[in-house]
Amino acid sequence: MIEARRTRRRLTLAVLAVFAVVVIFSVRLVDIQVVRADTFSKIARQQTYPATLWGTRGDIVDANGTVLATSVDRFNITAAPDMVESDFDRVEEVDGTKTRVKVSLQQAVQEIADLTGADPAELTTTLTEDPDARFVYLVKSVTLDVFRAVRDLDIPWVYSEPQPARSYPNGAIAGNLIGLMGTDGALSGTELKWDECLASTNGEVQYALSADGVRLPGSEVVEKPAKDGGTVHLTIDSDLQWFTQQALAEQGTAIGAKWGTAFVVEIKTGKIRAAADWPTIDPNDLNSAKAEDAGARSFVAPYEPGSVIKTATVAGMLDAGVLTPTTQFTVPSAYTKGLPVGAEIHDSWLHDTIRFTTAGVLVNSSNIGIGQMTELMPLKQRIEYLKAFGFGSPTGADFLAEDDGFVRSVADTDPVTAVTQQFGQGMTATSAQVASLYQTIGNGGVRIPLTLVEGCEHADGTWTDVPEPEGTRVVSEKAAKQTINILENVVTNYHLGPTLAVPGYRIAAKSGTAEVAKNGVYTSDRIVSVVGMLPADDPQYAITVTFAYPTTIMSSRAAAPTFNAIAKQVIKTFRVPPSTEPAPSIPLTW
Amino acid sequence: MVLSSSSIESWVSDGDFFARASRQAILALIGVPLMLIAARAPRSFWRRWAWHLIIGALVLQAVVVVVGAGQSLYNNNWLYIGGFSLQPSELIKLGFVVWLALVVTRVAPIINDWRRADWREYALPLAPAVAGIMLVMLGNDLGTTVILAAMVLGSLYFGGVRLSIVSLITIVGSLGAAIAVQASDSRSERFAVWFEGCTDIASRYCYQTLQGWQALGDGGIFGVGLGNSTAKWSWLPEAETDFIFAVIGEELGLIGALLVVALFVVLAICFVRIIRRQVDPYAKLATAIAMIWIIGQAFVNIAVVLGLLPVLGVPLPFISAGGSSLVTTLLAVGIVLSFARHDPRAREQLR
């Protein structure tokens, strides 16, 4: 009985001990898991490592969303030379059993070379040059497939890093507009001009590692999210762009020209639907064009445009009311009035005195006739008209390093230039500015600055639009209409007419054959162009074609077939309805 | 929890996330039926087989010590037979349950009256207990030694031996243990670290404890969720065995950790109830020893994780990975259940 009571007492003591232990445990647990939890989890969190979250650079797309430039993932294969040994063991599975195979350094290098196409000797040099180096690049920018294959080689000293790269799925289409990307950033063109929109920001993620270096799943904490770049929407139609580039290349090669440009501009909006340069660069391959051809001459290379400027002169005079399309001029064989002694202005063909109307002067492109017209308007006003048409100032397309061209001030204009700049010599313009002139005329005299970029679509879907350009009236609607009607006669009543005409469509055009000056002296080199618009009864598209330094055909005849081909393509692409009425005939002579 | 805590290291060593967990599951499938069979054992069964069991276990342990001597500085209490490995020291614990109860019920009165008794009358019957402890100690397993010693002392305590004698043996044992600790570098360092408190993670014997605390701290009140432990990613050594409690605390939080403690308390209460209802002193004492084993080992394990005890290396009963431990603890429960079935009142209800 005493025994039993003693056992009972001892048991109670044991139970009390259990509860005491539980109390101690609870206090301790609360202490570690609640009170001091922050301290401990802070230590735990110190075991995290940073990694870069790569943002994706935005695309450049055309008006229809066709991707012209995009980002792709590439990988750099790197190595740690200080870890390189003469051989290493690799576990290989042969017939379902895993065996260790010795792989020599030479063998490993050969395997990498086979997969990446690198030179094995060069790889070996890179690896062995500085045996203490911890990091070298073996092969840069390999594709995912190659990267995986190299990784599967299980070479212990081979590592990798992601390397975002740029790809241009449509190759050379609009290559000169898009520009180039270097390894450290944008180099030229839209890539550089719109870098702010396109550029991505890399973020940072912190992750925890296991004791043996494995990244713990679910342990990633994004400290700074990566920001993807936005998409730049061009106004370009990539199919039309391709066609104009192709047309330029064909004709440019045939006539032995040095370079060529072509524009298609939507007259009502000023949007550039095609801006072609030849020679063309494929941004995928930096060696596809010479350095001087890599940019977009259409925007950055001003030249003396020649007779295509006569349109601006006549339109300005019509606007000012100093002449009408039928004003009569008696055009002599040379123009000397007001010029220094010995200076003469000739036409491109020899003639005796001819009786031209205003229309006749413009259609036949008489320099002497234009000279006579200058007498009807003071120099200051003539220069104002040229400037109002956009010469000497940006087109609004806002292309990188776009050139403003050059128009002299009244004070700087010598008597010869005062006349010649009215037919495009002694002043300079880019192809874009010429296109802008014909847009203005086609648009009833209202100049709408050109646009090349619709806007920037940010990664979150919001847009930053390029502000809608504001039109400014340069000449009256009547003057513009009269000018167009005169220019239609170039197609109907001029020797280039049959080459330019598209049956069923009224087309207004102007040719130009400019002399190229070298060191202040005009040479036998020519820059030839045909510029115009269609359909003339309701102008929709302005088209320019320019070739520099042709060798087989030295006149604007060289550009005419290309203008015609592009005109037909524009009609097809945009389904331009045919004209309903024939072109009015204006007397060219009297 | 074994699945969650072992998956990563299991993958690293075996290439299979489930390798260790499925081994554990198979042993549970063996252990649970064994427990149910043991629960059906007749009243006198354990008494009859007690000596066989303890001697068998001691022989196996002796084999381990002889074969394994000098193989490793670390715990080498393992016996490898074919593809299996087992820890005979776990069998000794099981043997202690049935055998100590038998011996102590007989010698307790003699010990209490030791002045008049021949020393051989109580010392010889208890010799296997001392032999067991010594053999396990030779196997370099500090944790199991502590548990075995606790079982012996507990059996004396619950067997009715006078407290003064129990205290004396405890003091002598502690002194012996202190000398043993000093004799081994690894043990003395572990104790030194524990006394000084852990702050430096680089310290060899602090690493595990601090990792355990970080896991617990990371878990907070509600835990990081099942499977989300970071400590188990090879950071925390013995995450699925001796330190599984830290992983529980990390994944299930303070609530989960307290629940585990509470479950052991419930188990302790069950043991106490069984002890109280028993009339047979042998059954009473055997149940008490089983309680000391299971509850004591659980508390030592948790205390180690919480830094209340130096790192001793005992698994958490029923929860830690480890086949021998799981099967033997289940068998111990089976033995206790067999006593409970023969309890007169229980029999009445069963009828």
Side-chain angles (χ1 to χ4, degrees):
Chain A
M1 208 56 223
I2 298 165
E3 190 78 6
R5 213 180 302 144
R6 193 196 298 176
T7 311
R8 205 155 247 238
R9 220 170 36 233
R10 290 187 177 189
L11 206 52
T12 312
L13 208 61
V15 171
L16 287 177
V18 165
F19 280 105
V21 168
V22 169
V23 169
I24 293 168
F25 282 180
S26 305
V27 169
R28 186 73 169 181
L29 271 172
V30 170
D31 176 39
I32 293 176
Q33 296 204 271
V34 183
V35 180
R36 285 196 284 164
D38 276 353
T39 326
F40 289 127
S41 57
K42 211 173 277 166
I43 301 171
R45 224 172 275 141
Q46 277 168 1
Q47 298 163 349
T48 62
Y49 300 84
T52 306
L53 280 179
W54 295 91
T56 310
R57 186 177 173 84
D59 293 349
I60 299 176
V61 301
D62 81 346
N64 306 315
T66 306
V67 176
L68 299 173
T70 188
S71 288
V72 289
D73 289 332
R74 291 286 181 271
F75 299 87
N76 293 334
I77 308 289
T78 67
D82 61 337
M83 309 263 285
V84 173
E85 283 172 18
S86 58
D87 55 44
F88 65 91
D89 281 348
R90 179 159 61 199
V91 177
E92 280 179 16
E93 208 172 306
V94 185
D95 301 332
T97 50
K98 290 180 180 171
T99 46
R100 282 185 187 279
V101 183
K102 270 215 183 311
V103 182
S104 71
L105 171 61
Q106 217 181 347
Q107 224 175 315
V109 167
Q110 189 59 48
E111 284 171 349
I112 298 172
D114 287 347
L115 288 173
T116 58
D119 177 25
E122 228 167 83
L123 291 180
T124 313
T125 319
T126 316
L127 279 170
T128 51
E129 216 166 22
D130 178 8
D132 296 327
R134 292 187 157 183
F135 181 90
V136 290
Y137 284 108
L138 288 183
V139 194
K140 280 195 171 187
S141 285
V142 300
T143 58
L144 181 64
D145 294 347
V146 175
F147 157 71
R148 282 192 176 147
V150 171
R151 190 192 55 188
D152 290 345
L153 291 176
D154 275 335
I155 301 171
W157 37 264
V158 165
Y159 300 87
S160 68
E161 60 174 27
Q163 165 73 53
R166 208 72 173 142
S167 175
Y168 304 90
N170 280 300
I173 295 177
N176 303 60
L177 297 178
I178 288 161
L180 302 173
M181 277 295 287
T183 36
D184 298 322
L187 295 177
S188 62
T190 305
E191 292 272 29
L192 181 55
K193 181 77 193 181
W194 285 83
D195 198 40
E196 211 172 298
C197 168
L198 293 165
S200 57
T201 330
N202 289 337
E204 199 186 85
V205 63
Q206 292 279 342
Y207 62 91
L209 276 187
S210 77
D212 42 8
V214 177
R215 201 190 274 207
L216 303 195
S219 72
E220 288 94 347
V221 177
V222 176
E223 297 284 323
K224 196 181 117 203
K227 219 174 127 265
D228 286 344
T231 303
V232 169
H233 289 257
L234 298 181
T235 56
I236 295 294
D237 180 294
S238 57
D239 291 339
L240 185 66
Q241 175 78 18
W242 173 83
F243 184 89
T244 50
Q245 284 180 201
Q246 187 64 21
L248 276 185
E250 277 172 20
Q251 184 70 356
T253 313
I255 61 171
K258 243 185 187 164
W259 53 263
T261 64
F263 268 91
V264 176
V265 174
E266 199 171 272
I267 284 175
K268 305 280 196 243
T269 59
K271 285 179 180 169
I272 299 169
R273 294 305 182 198
D277 278 277
W278 171 79
T280 306
I281 189 166
D282 178 353
N284 289 311
D285 176 10
L286 302 193
N287 299 321
S288 62
K290 281 181 270 177
E292 73 239 41
D293 294 331
R297 283 199 178 88
S298 43
F299 287 101
V300 302
Y303 54 91
E304 292 182 59
S307 303
V308 292
I309 299 303
K310 285 172 182 160
T311 304
T313 304
V314 170
M317 304 245 171
L318 288 169
D319 179 56
V322 297
L323 46 66
T324 66
T326 50
T327 303
Q328 298 168 346
F329 292 92
T330 306
V331 180
S333 57
Y335 186 75
T336 53
K337 195 167 179 187
L339 304 185
V341 179
E344 285 187 351
I345 289 170
H346 295 278
D347 282 335
S348 60
W349 77 105
L350 291 176
H351 59 79
D352 295 330
T353 302
I354 322 175
R355 289 187 292 181
F356 274 146
T357 59
T358 302
V361 168
L362 187 54
V363 168
N364 291 293
S365 204
S366 169
N367 298 338
I368 302 163
I370 294 291
Q372 288 177 311
M373 287 179 192
T374 58
E375 297 163 22
L376 302 174
M377 189 187 270
L379 176 65
K380 181 167 174 280
Q381 203 181 351
R382 299 201 310 263
I383 290 177
E384 273 168 11
Y385 268 113
L386 281 178
K387 292 200 164 163
F389 275 116
F391 295 105
S393 54
T395 59
D398 204 18
F399 192 77
L400 181 81
E402 187 181 335
D403 200 285
D404 292 350
F406 178 63
V407 178
R408 285 168 200 275
S409 65
V410 178
D412 286 345
T413 311
D414 59 275
V416 178
T417 309
V419 176
T420 60
Q421 68 187 2
Q422 297 303 140
F423 53 84
Q425 303 274 178
M427 54 86 75
T428 63
T430 60
S431 300
Q433 285 173 317
V434 174
S436 179
L437 164 63
Y438 283 78
Q439 180 277 326
T440 309
I441 302 293
N443 197 31
V446 178
R447 176 174 178 262
I448 299 173
L450 301 183
T451 44
L452 179 63
V453 176
E454 301 256 20
C456 169
E457 183 188 0
H458 298 288
D460 58 5
T462 59
W463 275 74
T464 303
D465 280 316
V466 167
E468 194 81 10
E470 261 179 58
T472 41
R473 180 162 292 283
V474 180
V475 294
S476 68
E477 198 165 348
K478 189 182 163 205
K481 194 107 199 148
Q482 285 172 338
T483 311
I484 294 168
N485 286 342
I486 296 170
L487 292 181
E488 279 188 81
N489 282 275
V490 174
V491 180
T492 52
N493 279 321
Y494 189 55
H495 69 94
L496 286 180
T499 322
L500 297 175
V502 178
Y505 289 87
R506 283 166 61 183
I507 293 175
K510 180 71 193 87
S511 61
T513 306
E515 295 178 4
V516 179
K518 212 170 195 178
N519 306 322
V521 182
Y522 285 105
T523 64
S524 62
D525 283 336
R526 297 285 182 270
I527 287 181
V528 300
S529 32
V530 173
V531 185
M533 64 196 80
L534 67 83
D537 44 340
D538 177 22
Q540 302 287 331
Y541 293 95
I543 300 167
T544 78
V545 175
T546 303
F547 287 109
Y549 314 115
T551 48
T552 59
I553 308 172
M554 303 284 282
S555 73
S556 53
R557 199 151 56 79
T562 312
F563 177 90
N564 180 259
I566 294 173
K568 283 176 180 162
Q569 188 63 29
V570 165
I571 289 167
K572 280 190 267 182
T573 303
F574 300 111
R575 296 163 193 268
V576 180
S579 307
T580 46
E581 287 169 34
S585 185
I586 302 169
L588 303 181
T589 52
W590 55 278
Chain B
M1 287 316 297
V2 169
L3 172 59
S4 171
S5 57
S6 73
S7 55
I8 303 306
E9 290 186 41
S10 181
W11 169 259
V12 171
S13 63
D14 302 324
D16 178 2
F17 288 111
F18 300 100
R20 289 190 200 175
S22 53
R23 229 172 295 157
Q24 186 76 359
I26 289 167
L27 281 159
L29 281 179
I30 296 170
V32 171
L34 278 179
M35 172 183 81
L36 295 175
I37 292 167
R40 291 259 162 194
R43 188 194 269 275
S44 57
F45 181 85
W46 300 113
R47 235 180 286 227
R48 204 180 309 137
W49 288 94
W51 278 97
H52 299 85
L53 196 55
I54 189 68
I55 288 170
L58 286 177
V59 167
L60 278 179
Q61 179 66 19
V63 169
V64 165
V65 171
V66 171
V67 172
Q71 266 187 359
S72 141
L73 289 172
Y74 203 52
N75 178 354
N76 44 24
N77 256 328
W78 293 89
L79 189 62
Y80 299 91
I81 305 165
F84 280 98
S85 60
L86 94 168
Q87 278 185 301
S89 53
E90 294 296 324
L91 280 178
I92 295 180
K93 288 179 193 167
L94 191 64
F96 270 20
V97 171
V98 289
W99 170 81
L100 264 180
L102 185 67
V103 174
V104 171
T105 42
R106 208 173 58 214
V107 301
I110 308 174
I111 296 175
N112 281 340
D113 208 16
W114 63 278
R115 263 179 255 266
R116 257 175 277 167
D118 184 354
W119 65 272
R120 276 173 293 193
E121 278 181 64
Y122 51 87
L124 280 182
L126 282 175
V130 179
I133 293 173
M134 293 306 286
L135 280 172
V136 172
M137 219 155 143
L138 283 173
N140 245 337
D141 188 344
L142 186 57
T144 308
T145 312
V146 168
I147 299 299
L148 288 178
M151 287 170 82
V152 172
L153 289 173
S155 70
L156 296 179
Y157 174 80
F158 287 113
V161 176
R162 278 215 302 267
L163 279 179
S164 57
I165 298 172
V166 177
S167 310
L168 186 72
I169 297 174
T170 309
I171 290 162
V172 170
S174 304
L175 280 175
I179 293 163
V181 163
Q182 284 305 315
S184 155
D185 278 352
S186 83
R187 279 179 220 149
S188 58
E189 245 180 273
R190 275 197 245 179
F191 272 84
V193 160
W194 173 63
F195 279 126
E196 287 158 20
C198 266
T199 44
D200 179 16
I201 191 143
S203 156
R204 196 168 140 214
Y205 293 103
C206 259
Y207 179 80
Q208 198 173 13
T209 306
L210 273 183
Q211 284 290 346
W213 286 357
Q214 284 175 25
L216 288 170
D218 203 26
I221 296 175
F222 296 105
V224 294
L226 272 175
N228 291 340
S229 160
T230 51
K232 69 182 180 188
W233 284 80
S234 308
W235 285 113
L236 178 62
E238 308 293 339
E240 82 279 21
T241 56
D242 300 351
F243 269 71
I244 197 167
F245 188 72
V247 177
I248 294 174
E250 184 180 13
E251 296 196 346
L252 302 176
L254 178 67
I255 292 171
L258 285 178
L259 184 68
V260 169
V261 174
L263 285 174
F264 279 107
V265 171
V266 168
L267 191 61
I269 290 169
C270 290
F271 278 127
V272 169
R273 280 176 63 93
I274 291 169
I275 294 168
R276 287 202 163 168
R277 290 183 171 208
Q278 286 294 335
V279 276
D280 178 7
Y282 171 75
K284 260 183 191 299
L285 192 51
T287 307
I289 296 168
M291 173 173 81
I292 287 168
W293 171 13
I294 293 172
I295 307 300
Q297 189 172 318
F299 282 0
V300 167
N301 174 282
I302 293 170
V304 165
V305 173
L306 296 180
L308 297 167
L309 283 177
V311 177
L312 289 172
V314 296
L316 190 57
F318 308 119
I319 295 175
S320 285
S324 310
S325 168
L326 180 66
V327 172
T328 50
T329 43
L330 282 171
L331 271 173
V333 172
I335 292 167
V336 171
L337 285 176
S338 78
F339 295 141
R341 285 173 59 83
H342 295 300
D343 174 71
R345 272 177 287 181
R347 286 182 82 98
E348 234 164 71
Q349 286 188 356
L350 282 173
R351 199 173 291 146

